[in-house]
Amino acid sequence: MLSGCSTVGYYAHVAHGQGELVWRRRPVDAVIADPATAPELRRRLELARQARRFAVTTLGLPDNRSYTGYVQLDRPYVAWNVFATPPYSVAPVTHCFPFAGCVAYRGYFAEARADAEAARLKAEGDDVYVGGVPAYSTLGWFADPILSSMMRWDDDELVGTIFHELAHQLIYVKDDSAFNESFASFVQEQGLRAWRQARGLPPPDARAEAMDDGFTQLVLDLRDRLKALYASGADEAAMAAGKQREIAGFRARYAQWRDREWPGDHRYDAWVAAPINNARLLPFGLYDHWTPAFAALFRQSEGQWPAFYAAVRQWARLPPAQRDRVLQQWLAAGPP
């Protein structure tokens, strides 16, 4: 009964938060035309409007009311996600929802509620991480707005996020976050290349992408090391000591990698210096695990978006185990 009350309370919170966004939404066209709108906001909204049009006409993404509205938030993020794992596991505590299926986090529109849930889970012994969310998709159930929290990004990230979230509305598989996020991330990356090319701009910064990929691999290596430790059969005291040893080793490897490959660049230092636990590692790899497989499929589709989407839908219809096998084949060696 207590669990049921908690669930009802959570859905009431989510419904209220989503309803508030709908209530506060203003048409992008009206905000752009408003003389009171700051010039930089007007420029960014015009950019977003052009990106949405490009997404529909060139990338073949849904043409609906998403990203035709703007919401000025009174907070830095639209929501906060709470990730949790057992203390000696890298597997997430999952949460299942009627339309989205099961995911590795639980989202809250209020930071205080997210912090309270994190405190509850931590008191039960779980590793916990709370991350702010600048944007999210309702998978087409509502007209997703442009949010003031998205304005902190540079132009490429703003445009790419619109492509990413509209891709979720096009194809989404319940209970398969890695598939969904990798697909949307590929559409974001490839779409951004096409967008920049169409506007006579150079390709996205390859250096930043390479550094991000390298850092992600370091984090995934730590997660693999912890996974092996937790599966070793060691007692709890040994696992606790080993966990801290592996985290310290990661920090040392990071410093060596940074100074060797990217001297003078300290963009990840703050993340590495902050407390690290199993839950903080969960988002890594989720968004790009299968991205190379989707890239190979796009090449075989000769860069034609309709053919690519048709093939992705075929993958989406496969049973989960078979879909993972197919993706692994494409990931390892290209088309099977």
Side-chain angles (χ1 to χ4, degrees):
M1 289 178 65
L2 290 174
S3 175
C5 290
S6 174
T7 300
V8 170
Y10 175 74
Y11 280 122
H13 165 71
V14 170
H16 180 270
Q18 182 62 45
E20 183 183 32
L21 295 182
V22 173
W23 176 256
R24 297 176 64 178
R25 184 175 57 210
R26 294 178 63 197
V28 165
D29 292 348
V31 179
I32 291 174
D34 188 343
T37 299
E40 179 61 10
L41 176 58
R42 180 180 293 110
R43 184 190 73 81
R44 303 299 303 284
L45 290 177
E46 176 58 36
L47 182 75
R49 185 165 63 177
Q50 294 171 10
R52 181 191 170 280
R53 189 177 305 122
F54 184 86
V56 172
T57 59
T58 302
L59 306 183
L61 294 172
D63 185 9
N64 53 33
R65 293 182 59 230
S66 288
Y67 306 111
T68 62
Y70 174 72
V71 175
Q72 177 65 46
L73 299 169
D74 55 2
R75 54 189 187 270
Y77 297 103
V78 64
W80 287 262
N81 284 342
V82 179
F83 297 86
T85 71
Y88 302 114
S89 172
V90 293
V93 175
T94 57
H95 305 274
C96 300
F97 304 97
F99 303 111
C102 298
V103 295
Y105 54 84
R106 202 174 194 189
Y108 293 85
F109 284 101
E111 185 176 16
R113 281 180 173 264
D115 289 343
E117 175 65 5
R120 184 187 69 81
L121 292 168
K122 189 173 182 179
E124 293 181 354
D126 288 337
D127 277 11
V128 182
Y129 168 63
V130 179
V133 181
Y136 69 95
S137 174
T138 59
L139 307 180
W141 288 95
F142 296 92
D144 296 327
I146 300 167
L147 302 164
S148 59
S149 51
M150 298 165 65
M151 295 297 131
R152 69 177 63 202
W153 294 325
D154 63 21
D155 288 353
D156 278 0
E157 191 69 18
L158 174 62
V159 169
T161 297
I162 292 173
F163 298 163
H164 184 108
E165 302 301 349
L166 285 174
H168 280 317
Q169 295 186 19
L170 184 69
I171 300 174
Y172 186 88
V173 180
K174 289 182 70 172
D175 305 329
D176 197 337
S177 293
F179 179 90
N180 296 325
E181 296 300 344
S182 295
F183 164 68
S185 292
F186 172 76
V187 173
Q188 174 176 350
E189 294 167 9
Q190 186 61 36
L192 188 59
R193 292 189 187 97
W195 161 266
R196 291 184 65 88
Q197 183 178 26
R199 296 169 73 87
L201 299 172
D205 182 6
R207 183 181 184 276
E209 184 176 343
M211 190 175 185
D212 187 55
D213 289 346
F215 181 71
T216 297
Q217 288 306 311
L218 284 172
V219 176
L220 294 178
D221 175 68
L222 170 60
R223 193 163 71 189
D224 288 343
R225 290 168 181 261
L226 290 173
K227 184 177 181 179
L229 169 67
Y230 301 150
S232 67
D235 61 34
E236 185 170 329
M239 284 197 292
K243 181 178 181 179
Q244 296 309 312
R245 186 169 58 249
E246 291 294 355
I247 292 172
F250 161 76
R251 289 191 169 109
R253 289 190 298 276
Y254 163 75
Q256 294 168 358
W257 168 81
R258 178 200 61 201
D259 295 341
R260 181 183 67 251
E261 303 291 339
W262 312 98
D265 196 322
H266 299 274
R267 70 184 66 185
Y268 298 110
D269 285 12
W271 192 96
V272 174
I276 296 174
N277 61 24
N278 302 326
R280 199 154 179 253
L281 309 180
L282 286 177
F284 287 86
L286 178 66
Y287 283 74
D288 55 12
H289 181 68
W290 300 121
T291 300
F294 287 107
L297 181 63
F298 188 74
R299 289 193 296 271
Q300 193 187 67
S301 303
E302 299 180 344
Q304 300 300 308
W305 290 102
F308 171 70
Y309 294 143
V312 173
R313 287 189 178 94
Q314 290 181 355
W315 284 358
R317 286 192 287 267
L318 295 173
Q322 185 180 353
R323 182 167 58 246
D324 281 357
R325 286 195 299 271
V326 169
L327 286 163
Q328 189 61 50
Q329 288 175 320
W330 283 71
L331 188 66

